[in-house]
Amino acid sequence: AAAAAVAAVLAAVSPIRPKPVAPPEATGTGVQDRGGERGTEAAAVGALLLAVDLGLRSGASLFSADGELLRYEQLRFADETALREEAPQLIASWEADVNAAAAGQTSSAAAPRRWAITHVAIEGGDPPLWEAWGEAHGAAPLSVSADEWRRHLLTRKERSSGSCAKAAARLVARQVVADFGAMEAHVGAFKTDAAEAVLMGYYVAYRLGWTTREPPIRRFSNGNVVLPKVTAQK
């Protein structure tokens, strides 16, 4: 049944067209701010954003145009060849899972809304791996630098060093999962790659106008992150 669902999604979307996709040198996402208004494309298609923290050991998150975090995972690929083989399968299977869930929530009188990954955002500049994800999606990904999303979501103190930023990301991601996730609050250790993929995806969703909360991260008056009670302790 799962294979049939993946096949159905592959038949419904445009075929992947392998082509060289080089990472742009610009550090910005290139996403036009929409002032909190969702674009007509998102409304018509059921747009999904796949955010990838690039690497063979990497993280990925999936946001809907409704501003909901649908999924996040820590990923590991054996090598570049494995990534090229598995990235298209991941895109197809994640789309299929979203569409299967949507079909189960729709009454028989209404046609289910079709969802598709319309945006892929990547943090990281490894050209072969960047190209692999671009080919898997069939379009050039959006480029996001770590500094860009960190400036938006982390405090200056949290950005004081790379290790501080990664530790803060693991905490802030818990809040994003609890506040915007379709799943339960995260329990246990939060892998850094997955946490950063969640935050980068949350930032791009904000730039697309899919999330509008201001400030984007809830904090106490002393600047500390408000955490879900279940995960208040690391």
Side-chain angles (χ1 to χ4, degrees):
V6 172
V9 171
L10 287 172
V13 299
S14 299
I16 296 169
R17 300 177 299 277
K19 57 183 179 181
V21 181
E25 296 181 359
T27 58
T29 59
V31 180
Q32 183 177 0
D33 292 311
R34 298 182 180 177
E37 294 183 5
R38 299 189 179 94
T40 55
E41 176 189 6
V45 177
L48 300 172
L49 161 70
L50 175 66
V52 178
D53 186 27
L54 194 64
L56 295 179
R57 186 185 68 183
S58 64
S61 67
L62 188 69
F63 281 82
S64 74
D66 297 325
E68 187 174 28
L69 171 63
L70 302 177
R71 188 167 185 166
Y72 63 95
E73 288 186 17
Q74 181 85 4
L75 305 175
R76 184 183 291 272
F77 302 97
D79 50 32
E80 180 190 335
T81 300
L83 191 155
R84 288 182 178 276
E85 293 175 351
E86 296 171 25
Q89 298 170 15
L90 181 145
I91 290 175
S93 65
W94 283 27
E95 284 182 344
D97 289 346
V98 173
N99 281 296
Q105 296 170 1
T106 305
S107 66
S108 57
R113 185 182 189 186
R114 189 179 73 82
W115 294 85
I117 294 176
T118 54
H119 302 74
V120 174
I122 293 180
E123 177 202 322
D126 188 312
L129 302 187
W130 181 285
E131 179 181 327
W133 280 105
E135 291 177 356
H137 184 236
L142 304 171
S143 175
V144 185
S145 70
D147 287 343
E148 185 180 356
W149 66 257
R150 286 174 179 171
R151 284 196 306 270
H152 185 73
L153 301 177
L154 306 184
T155 65
R156 180 175 299 179
K157 180 179 179 180
E158 291 168 341
R159 305 193 310 270
S160 61
S161 69
S163 59
C164 286
K166 290 180 181 296
R170 292 192 293 269
L171 289 178
V172 176
R174 294 179 185 275
Q175 183 188 116
V176 173
V177 170
D179 291 356
F180 295 93
M183 65 293 294
E184 297 293 327
H186 189 96
V187 177
F190 210 137
K191 296 292 186 180
T192 302
D193 297 317
E196 293 188 329
V198 167
L199 295 190
M200 189 263 286
Y202 177 51
Y203 165 73
V204 176
Y206 173 86
R207 290 290 304 275
L208 289 168
W210 296 359
T211 62
T212 58
R213 186 170 76 179
E214 293 289 354
I217 303 302
R218 294 183 295 113
R219 297 179 180 273
F220 293 107
S221 58
N222 62 2
N224 289 344
V225 179
V226 176
L227 297 174
K229 292 182 180 179
V230 70
T231 56
Q233 305 236 348
K234 291 181 67 177

